[in-house]
Structures are given as structure tokens and as C-alpha cells.
Amino acid sequence: MTSRNWDKSPETEKDSKFHDLRDSGYRGPIDQDGNNLEDVNAWADEQLGR
């Protein structure tokens, strides 16, 4: 499989999840692990320890 990264570097599991979401038509926010985010505010609160 060829890399879908802009620099053609090997895809990590996180990269693959990101690209799979985009290829499926998802255009919403994606976290650093390649997961779609349903509630960005809740995610931000969690990241900030609120």
C-alpha cells in the first residue's frame, strides 16, 4: 500500500485511521489519535483537566 501522508512517510495506525475517516467523507474534527470527535468542547475540557 502506498502512503497517503503528504510526505509519503510510512503510515502509522493513527495516520491510517485519520485517512480512512477523511476517505469515507467525514469532514469533522479528528483528535491526535485519528478518532472522530463528536463533542469538541468535551474533548478540550478533558485535555485541559476540567
Side-chain angles (χ1 to χ4, degrees):
M1 177 178 198
T2 60
S3 175
R4 296 175 283 179
N5 292 333
W6 67 272
D7 61 357
K8 301 301 180 201
S9 61
E11 285 185 26
T12 64
E13 181 180 344
K14 294 174 185 180
D15 293 334
S16 294
K17 289 171 67 176
F18 171 86
H19 292 300
D20 290 345
L21 277 172
R22 289 295 185 229
D23 289 347
S24 72
Y26 180 77
R27 295 293 175 242
I30 299 173
D31 72 6
Q32 71 277 3
D33 296 323
N35 301 308
N36 65 324
L37 293 173
E38 297 296 324
D39 186 346
V40 175
N41 292 325
W43 175 84
D45 287 344
E46 182 182 321
Q47 297 300 305
L48 295 171
R50 295 184 196 163

